[in-house]
């Protein structure tokens, strides 16, 4: 298996600029196939899955919207006693023939052909098969889920080959939201208008990118970066190999890294691009600028949190982005300037600083980067509602550092740092310093900050480091203290967390896209579940080994 990914990586690098979307076999739009990006809607009713078609079996990739509520309903229910189960069920706490001698701590049927069986309508995996695809129960077919009913896939569209990620942003003024997908195959940024399940006005479609008049695929209008005359005044086309993506909270500034060149690109998705979400859906994001002179092979990018005092007092503030590199032991800070005072405006990015990575022996080959602003947000949430006291409080909160975390491969570590306060109006220059590095298994590729349910039953932030090569996800506290290790299947890559609620409705579930075998694992992230915390509860999609490994 070790020879498979490098071979495909070379093939994709060669072919990425010349994939003909009209030739070859049409992709099955409802199939999970080399998942590279996962995103969850604001109201947690949709799981968005970007698939890359990495082995070129088809002529395009795909984007799916899955019914997240129904996925949660299909998950086994953890229990410590019969009283926590429905009257037709009991808590599986003792060894029996039905559970194979291994109690599940799940609610199981009392009677009938499924009595005492932890997996219900699904069969149990053999111990051997769990080595390749962890999890007790056999896979759930999204198109034919247990118990019948409609497919879990409620919408799908075709996208270009070799997508790398997917990012969701809600429309800042108006209903609905938008997905942004970097695509290496045609060197574009795809955008797809979607529902925002936290507003009541609704949007009359599940996914919209002009696919109705384009054989189920996103049309040219929704593939941005390849039309210099229409998009910008600089004659720019998007550089090759777009990879990492980050955006401001309002989705106005979108930054892409390019994994084979020392370039980061800026797309602007302003009010004109958004539209109102009712009478029109805007013109879409426009490629406006490419900042060069960066170290070779930029990979990770993350948007810095904007201090609350900035919005409150409308302070002059240029949104920032931190960028990591494979070939350089440093982090660069880029600033976004809207250039609204010019006629016409010509937005741009500017390098605003750099910091060396010295917490590791070498420090280069940095992959994912994530930022945690939860402490600052908690501080701001506790400020008075008005008056001078509020302004003073918000100023103080702006000085609360944001955590910065980087997955580094030389050596394999999690770099733990934070932004540095200073005496500026916003109390931070946004450049991080790294306090420590924590050893992990080889092959870290992504880092994500999200919530678990702690032992006290409350949501608490954790840092997840996804290690592609060693088939694992490491979990740390925000301070960098190792907490646990989650065993996954082959090639874990995309990762997203569905958390929220309170009381008896509180939840925390991890979704990991297994790139190598093309399925999604659903992970229990509730620390009160002593026997299942950090384990895969559901295999979503049939695991299929890549053709080159057979």
């Amino acid at each position: 298996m070790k020879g498979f990914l490098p071979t495909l990586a070379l093939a994709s690098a060669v072919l990425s600029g010349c994939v003909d979307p009209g030739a070859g076999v049409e992709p099955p739009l409802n199939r999970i196939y080399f998942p590279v990006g996962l995103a969850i809607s604001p109201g947690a009713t949709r799981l968005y899955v970007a698939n890359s078609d990495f082995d070129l079996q088809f002529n395009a990739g795909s984007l799916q919207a899955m019914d997240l509520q129904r996925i949660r309903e299909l998950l086994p229910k953890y229990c410590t006693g019969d009283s926590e189960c429905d009257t037709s069920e009991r808590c599986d706490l003792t060894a029996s023939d039905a559970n194979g001698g291994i109690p599940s701590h799940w609610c199981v049927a009392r009677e009938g052909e499924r009595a005492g069986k932890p997996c219900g309508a699904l069969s149990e995996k053999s111990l051997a098969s769990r080595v390749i695809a962890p999890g007790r129960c056999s896979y759930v077919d999204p198109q034919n889920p247990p118990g019948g009913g409609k497919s879990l896939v409620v919408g799908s569209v075709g996208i270009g080959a070799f997508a790398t990620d997917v990012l969701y942003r809600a429309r800042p003024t108006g209903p609905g939201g938008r997905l942004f997908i970097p695509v290496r195959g045609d060197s574009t940024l795809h955008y797809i208008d979607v529902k925002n399940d936290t507003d009541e006005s609704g949007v009359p479609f599940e996914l919209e990118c002009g696919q109705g008049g384009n054989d189920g695929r996103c049309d040219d209008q929704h593939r941005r970066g390849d039309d210099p005359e229409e998009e910008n005044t600089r004659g720019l086309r998007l550089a090759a190999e777009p990879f990492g993506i980050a955006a401001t909270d309002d989705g106005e500034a979108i930054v892409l890294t390019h994994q084979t060149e020392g370039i980061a690109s800026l797309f602007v998705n302003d009010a004109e691009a958004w539209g109102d979400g009712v009478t029109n859906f805007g013109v879409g994001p426009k490629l406006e600028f490419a900042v060069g002179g960066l170290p070779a092979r930029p990979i990770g990018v993350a948007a810095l949190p904007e201090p609350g005092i900035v919005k409150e007092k409308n302070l002059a503030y240029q949104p920032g982005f931190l960028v990591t590199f494979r070939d350089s032991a440093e982090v660069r800070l880029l600033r976004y300037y809207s250039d609204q005072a010019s006629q016409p405006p010509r937005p741009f990015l500017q390098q605003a600083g750099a910091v060396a990575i010295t917490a590791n022996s070498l420090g280069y080959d940095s992959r994912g980067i994530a930022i945690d602003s939860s402490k600052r947000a908690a501080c701001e949430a506790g400020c008075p509602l008005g008056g001078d006291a509020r302004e003073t409080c918000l100023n103080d909160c702006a000085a609360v550092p944001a955590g910065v975390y980087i997955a580094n491969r030389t050596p394999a570590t999690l770099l733990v740092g934070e932004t540095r306060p200073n005496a500026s109006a916003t109390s931070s220059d946004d450049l991080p310093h790294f306090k420590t590095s924590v050893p992990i298994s080889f092959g870290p590729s992504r880092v994500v900050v999200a919530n678990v349910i702690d032992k006290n039953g409350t949501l608490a932030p954790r840092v997840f480091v996804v290690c592609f090569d060693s088939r694992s996800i490491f979990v740390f506290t925000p301070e960098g203290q190792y907490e646990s290790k989650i065993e996954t299947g082959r090639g874990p890559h995309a990762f997203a967390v569905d958390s929220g609620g309170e009381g008896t409705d509180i939840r925390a579930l991890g979704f990991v896209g297994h790139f190598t075998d093309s399925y999604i694992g659903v992970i229990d992230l509730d620390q009160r579940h002593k026997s299942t915390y950090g384990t895969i509860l559901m295999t979503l999609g049939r695991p299929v080994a890549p053709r080159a490994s057979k």
Side-chain angles (χ1 to χ4, degrees):
M1 186 60 206
K2 288 183 178 179
F4 167 67
L5 287 173
T7 301
L8 281 184
L10 177 60
S12 66
V14 172
L15 296 172
S16 61
C18 55
V19 177
D20 182 0
V25 179
E26 292 292 323
L29 296 183
N30 291 336
R31 177 180 171 184
I32 300 169
Y33 200 67
F34 291 108
V36 291
L38 299 174
I40 291 173
S41 61
T45 66
R46 294 292 182 265
L47 172 67
Y48 296 106
V49 184
N51 300 285
S52 69
D53 183 36
F54 198 70
D55 66 352
L56 293 177
Q57 182 173 348
F58 306 105
N59 60 12
S62 62
L63 185 286
Q64 296 143 0
M66 293 193 176
D67 190 330
L68 188 50
Q69 291 175 311
R70 288 186 61 204
I71 291 173
R72 288 195 292 264
E73 291 169 358
L74 291 172
L75 291 170
K77 182 179 179 181
Y78 186 88
C79 59
T80 58
D82 292 351
S83 62
E84 299 171 13
C85 302
D86 294 339
T87 55
S88 61
E89 298 175 325
R90 62 174 177 82
C91 191
D92 180 32
L93 298 175
T94 58
S96 67
D97 291 339
N99 63 27
I102 303 175
S104 62
H105 284 262
W106 295 342
C107 292
V108 298
R110 289 181 179 273
E111 300 177 347
E113 62 179 358
R114 299 174 186 170
K117 295 183 177 181
C119 294
L122 300 173
S123 61
E124 290 203 23
K125 296 177 184 173
S126 67
L127 293 178
S129 64
R130 295 182 200 181
V131 174
I132 300 298
R136 183 162 190 158
C137 304
S138 61
Y139 74 92
V140 171
D141 181 352
Q143 297 185 63
N144 297 286
K150 296 181 180 179
S151 169
L152 300 177
V153 180
V154 294
S156 58
V157 295
I159 60 176
F162 310 137
T164 61
D165 208 342
V166 60
L167 179 71
Y168 185 105
R169 284 294 182 267
R171 181 173 278 101
T173 55
R178 187 165 280 178
L179 299 173
F180 302 97
I181 308 166
V183 177
R184 296 164 52 210
D186 56 7
S187 294
T188 64
L189 176 68
H190 287 35
Y191 78 95
I192 302 172
D193 284 301
V194 299
K195 294 180 177 180
N196 178 345
D197 46 11
T198 62
D199 63 58
E200 297 180 357
S201 54
V203 171
F205 50 74
E206 189 68 51
L207 303 168
E208 175 56 46
C209 61
Q211 72 272 23
N214 198 44
D215 298 324
R217 297 184 184 181
C218 293
D219 62 16
D220 289 343
Q221 167 62 26
H222 291 79
R223 301 175 182 225
R224 312 297 283 170
D226 59 354
D227 192 346
E229 293 183 2
E230 191 274 335
E231 291 190 48
N232 59 76
T233 61
R234 295 181 168 98
L236 292 176
R237 288 183 181 272
L238 188 63
E241 297 292 318
F243 189 79
I245 183 171
T248 52
D249 286 344
D250 59 5
E252 177 176 326
I254 305 168
V255 173
L256 270 61
T257 59
H258 297 268
Q259 64 176 339
T260 58
E261 303 183 44
I263 293 174
S265 296
L266 169 69
F267 284 84
V268 174
N269 189 65
D270 54 15
E272 180 188 24
W274 275 114
D276 60 18
V278 179
T279 61
N280 73 86
F281 290 89
V283 298
K286 293 183 178 182
L287 174 64
E288 291 282 7
F289 193 76
V291 57
L294 300 176
R297 306 175 80 184
I299 295 291
V301 58
L304 285 155
E306 186 174 282
I309 189 67
V310 171
K311 296 179 180 179
E312 189 96 355
K313 294 298 180 180
N314 196 27
L315 299 178
Y317 177 82
Q318 284 70 48
F321 297 83
L322 297 179
V323 181
T324 62
F325 305 89
R326 289 194 65 180
D327 291 352
S328 184
E330 63 178 291
V331 178
R332 292 283 178 102
L333 169 62
L334 306 180
R335 293 279 187 201
Y336 163 62
Y337 292 81
S338 63
D339 199 37
Q340 288 301 309
S342 299
Q343 291 297 328
R346 302 182 78 199
F348 62 96
L349 290 174
Q350 186 174 76
Q351 297 191 55
V355 61
I357 295 175
T358 58
N360 263 356
S361 58
L362 295 175
Y364 64 88
D365 203 358
S366 297
R367 301 300 177 100
I369 179 171
I371 298 174
D372 175 25
S373 60
S374 59
K375 290 182 179 179
R376 185 187 297 173
C379 178
E380 292 172 344
C383 288
L385 295 179
D388 293 341
R390 177 171 178 79
E391 182 174 345
T392 299
C393 179
L394 289 176
N395 271 319
D396 292 341
C397 293
V400 176
V404 180
Y405 308 94
I406 294 177
N408 192 261
R409 288 195 172 191
T410 53
T413 49
L414 169 68
L415 297 174
V416 181
E418 62 184 19
T419 55
R420 297 175 292 191
N422 63 19
S424 70
T426 57
S427 299
S428 177
D429 63 9
D430 288 333
L431 277 170
H433 75 282
F434 295 97
K435 301 179 291 184
T436 187
S437 65
V438 187
I440 52 178
S441 294
F442 62 95
S445 57
R446 290 199 175 183
V447 57
V448 174
V449 177
N451 289 328
V452 301
I453 300 174
D454 65 18
K455 295 176 181 179
N456 298 318
T458 59
L459 294 173
R462 292 294 185 270
V463 181
F464 299 86
V465 185
V466 182
C467 293
F468 185 97
D469 298 333
S470 53
R471 300 172 49 181
S472 56
I473 300 174
F474 286 78
V475 186
F476 296 88
T477 66
E479 293 72 33
Q481 180 179 354
Y482 170 78
E483 194 169 77
S484 62
K485 178 183 176 183
I486 299 170
E487 302 290 346
T488 72
R490 301 189 297 183
H493 185 57
F495 186 74
V497 172
D498 167 29
S499 65
E502 57 186 13
T504 57
D505 294 326
I506 197 170
R507 68 184 186 281
L509 297 166
F511 290 81
V512 56
H514 289 85
F515 179 88
T516 304
D517 293 317
S518 297
Y519 69 96
I520 295 170
V522 186
I523 301 170
D524 185 350
L525 294 181
D526 190 336
Q527 293 182 348
R528 298 171 300 177
H529 300 168
K530 295 181 180 180
S531 62
T532 61
Y533 173 74
T535 64
I536 292 179
L537 301 176
M538 176 189 289
T539 300
L540 190 57
R542 178 184 179 186
V544 178
R547 291 186 299 165
S549 69
K550 295 180 180 178

